[in-house]
Amino acid sequence: MVVSNFKAAVNSDEGVPPPQEGVEFAKLPWNLNLPDQHYYVHLTTDPESGWTLEHYDPKTDGGILTDVTDGEYKSLKHYGQSPLPLFPSTTSLNYGTTIWEGLACRRSPTTGKALLFRPQMNYARFARGAHAMCLPPPSYELFMRGLQMVLQNNMHTCPPAPELDPDTGVPLGGAKLYVRPMLLGSGQQLGLHASPQISLVFFVSPTGSYFQGKAMGGLKLHLETRKSRAARGGTGNIKCSGNYAVTMRPLMDAKEHGFHDNLYLELDTYHNPKPSSTLSPLRQAILQELSAANIFLVLESGEIVTPCLSRGTILPGVTRDSVLEMAKMFKDELQPVMAKSVGKEDIEVTVSERDVSVEDLNSAVEVFVTGTAAEVVPVQSIGTSADDEESFSVKFPHGESEPGPVTFKLLEMLREVVAGQRTNEKIQDWLCDVHSTPEDFRKGGI
């Protein structure tokens, strides 16, 4: 591994390295792709020492992360040739002490820059998750430099910039370079206590859409009334591996019944309905999220609403937050498409986070889901299956064959922001230029 072959120059006149030839990036599935062609970053520490300046010193841009020995980076490993050293007694394998983040890096269709979307928010969530899993969180500077380094050394796997719509100039989406930071207990032990060794890992994969082939046509969601994704007081708001493990069996079951995914409930609100309500227990139940995506409703009243975070049972998604902020900032632009969606010219657009019940679905004209991998995807219907205890089914006026007007406009806005085509003072630091200096990368802004 020769340094000159893999380290992308900062502030180089040569520009961003091009995508690797011979790869049909547009056809890549949502999965681990080209593992024999990329590199990952791996650092270790112990819980007592935590992450120190020996790992990374932002003042000098030195430390184990960026150090070179015999022409090779100490922290950079070839994915296919240098697997993580794991043992049967590895703490994370036995007790699930693993957290991770998911971010997307794309090439700008206008400038050609490699841009990473809102890593600052991912770090905040990563740090909260580390505390919950008894793992020492890395510093913000170490986290950001790790992201920058793994991206710089894998730019050959970053897909080409998306094409622009010839009529609107809006990016048409496309593949992305997905990057996943992980923090896990990698030490050996049998007892239930904090791992004696901690690993910080950054790896990448070029990917397509999470809901492959469903970018325009809407999803069919199963209203999950038996299995719980998360409960109050648990870890539903932490991006830990266990939150995804519990959704796998229900997801497979839902797909066997013809659904694309599950929409989970706060099961205690289903099993303990308000006796004074005239609604059935299911219609009173509070919505959570999908297996790996947040949900939004566009109501006939003009309200764009998503379940609130106060219950601590859903993940505070980065795309979720971005859509909320965009909807608030650009309400005037959304008004015409909201009027088209609900059929009322003078409708006022409102944006909110609150408890959302199953009954609210009956007032929705559009429903969509959000996520780093999914972007913004329409939903055409939500319902129970034939063997569920209580029956419920709703098909929305928009979303079966294409996104509704509001959904489509928000998707366009998101893609414009991600490409650096739409900005203002509030969101100008959402994009980080991978090939800027480490200090500028941390600050954000292009």
Side-chain angles (χ1 to χ4, degrees):
M1 196 187 318
V2 181
V3 175
S4 59
N5 286 346
F6 300 110
K7 186 174 183 180
V10 175
N11 292 335
S12 170
D13 293 334
E14 298 178 2
V16 182
Q20 183 168 310
E21 295 182 358
V23 177
E24 293 186 271
F25 287 100
K27 295 183 178 181
L28 292 178
W30 170 250
N31 209 330
L32 179 67
N33 297 302
L34 312 179
D36 59 334
Q37 299 179 36
H38 43 87
Y39 302 85
Y40 71 96
V41 169
H42 181 205
L43 298 173
T44 61
T45 191
D46 60 79
E48 290 75 26
S49 302
W51 306 101
T52 69
L53 295 179
E54 291 186 6
H55 294 95
Y56 180 66
D57 185 346
K59 291 183 178 180
T60 64
D61 195 37
I64 299 172
L65 176 66
T66 54
D67 279 355
V68 174
T69 300
D70 296 329
E72 297 184 355
Y73 288 110
K74 288 183 178 180
S75 64
L76 196 65
K77 314 293 182 183
H78 187 279
Y79 191 96
Q81 299 174 7
S82 302
L84 285 175
L86 299 178
F87 297 89
S89 59
T90 296
T91 309
S92 59
L93 294 181
N94 288 268
Y95 297 114
T97 54
T98 303
I99 62 167
W100 53 273
E101 286 294 323
L103 303 89
C105 178
R106 298 175 176 87
R107 297 176 190 265
S108 168
T110 53
T111 66
K113 291 181 178 180
L115 303 175
L116 187 65
F117 187 62
R118 300 196 73 181
Q120 307 93 332
M121 190 173 180
N122 289 93
Y123 173 75
R125 189 170 63 183
F126 198 67
R128 291 194 300 270
H131 176 75
M133 294 289 110
C134 297
L135 302 168
S139 67
Y140 175 70
E141 292 81 5
L142 172 56
F143 180 83
M144 292 293 285
R145 192 66 176 101
L147 286 173
Q148 187 180 29
M149 183 171 173
V150 77
L151 288 169
Q152 287 180 341
N153 286 282
N154 286 285
M155 284 311 300
H156 59 289
T157 65
C158 187
E163 296 180 0
L164 299 179
D165 186 295
D167 297 322
T168 65
V170 176
L172 295 175
K176 64 187 89 50
L177 183 58
Y178 182 85
V179 55
R180 178 168 288 185
M182 298 178 66
L183 195 63
L184 62 148
S186 53
Q188 300 182 64
Q189 65 181 35
L190 288 180
L192 182 58
H193 50 81
S195 175
Q197 184 190 72
I198 313 298
S199 283
L200 177 63
V201 178
F202 301 84
F203 75 96
V204 303
S205 178
T207 67
S209 171
Y210 181 77
F211 294 105
Q212 196 77 23
K214 299 302 298 181
M216 290 294 104
L219 303 175
K220 297 179 180 179
L221 299 183
H222 173 243
L223 200 59
E224 179 54 67
T225 61
R226 297 178 179 179
K227 299 294 178 64
S228 172
R229 176 194 165 273
R232 301 188 78 171
T235 59
N237 61 348
I238 302 298
K239 202 170 179 70
C240 57
S241 297
N243 279 345
Y244 297 87
V246 298
T247 68
M248 286 188 181
R249 183 67 267 166
L251 178 59
M252 296 302 103
D253 292 341
K255 289 185 176 181
E256 288 178 3
H257 284 84
F259 298 98
H260 294 104
D261 206 337
N262 286 305
L263 174 56
Y264 287 90
L265 304 174
E266 293 267 348
L267 278 187
D268 66 319
T269 66
Y270 175 44
H271 294 307
N272 299 287
K274 296 178 181 179
S276 59
S277 176
T278 59
L279 297 174
S280 70
L282 181 55
R283 290 171 186 263
Q284 291 185 51
I286 301 300
L287 303 180
Q288 287 187 349
E289 61 177 305
L290 279 67
S291 303
N294 296 118
I295 190 165
F296 281 77
L297 281 62
V298 180
L299 302 182
E300 56 190 15
S301 63
E303 181 185 15
I304 301 172
V305 61
T306 190
C308 60
L309 303 177
S310 60
R311 290 177 175 269
T313 55
I314 67 173
L315 198 69
V318 176
T319 309
R320 171 191 180 276
D321 183 80
S322 303
V323 167
L324 280 170
E325 291 300 317
M326 290 189 307
K328 294 173 185 176
M329 285 185 284
F330 306 119
K331 283 199 296 184
D332 290 345
E333 285 187 59
L334 288 172
Q335 198 283 329
V337 293
M338 180 66 79
K340 182 179 180 181
S341 182
V342 303
K344 297 178 182 178
E345 290 298 324
D346 59 348
I347 194 76
E348 180 184 356
V349 178
T350 60
V351 184
S352 61
E353 302 172 72
R354 60 172 174 82
D355 283 343
V356 180
S357 68
V358 172
E359 179 62 20
D360 285 320
L361 294 172
N362 287 317
S363 300
V365 291
E366 299 180 41
V367 174
F368 61 89
V369 302
T370 63
T372 297
E375 289 187 298
V376 177
V377 178
V379 174
Q380 62 172 295
S381 63
I382 299 176
T384 53
S385 59
D387 56 355
D388 286 327
E389 296 177 359
E390 187 176 339
S391 177
F392 179 86
S393 178
V394 58
K395 187 173 183 179
F396 306 108
H398 303 284
E400 180 176 5
S401 59
E402 61 182 10
V406 176
T407 303
F408 187 69
K409 185 61 177 179
L410 286 168
L411 175 59
E412 284 192 328
M413 287 180 174
L414 178 64
R415 287 178 172 175
E416 288 174 331
V417 170
V418 166
Q421 295 177 322
R422 177 187 289 262
T423 189
N424 60 30
E425 290 184 0
K426 191 166 185 178
I427 63 176
Q428 63 185 359
D429 64 346
W430 282 11
L431 294 174
C432 297
D433 182 354
V434 171
H435 291 84
S436 62
T437 66
E439 182 178 4
D440 286 342
F441 182 74
R442 292 194 297 270
K443 292 179 180 177
I446 56 173

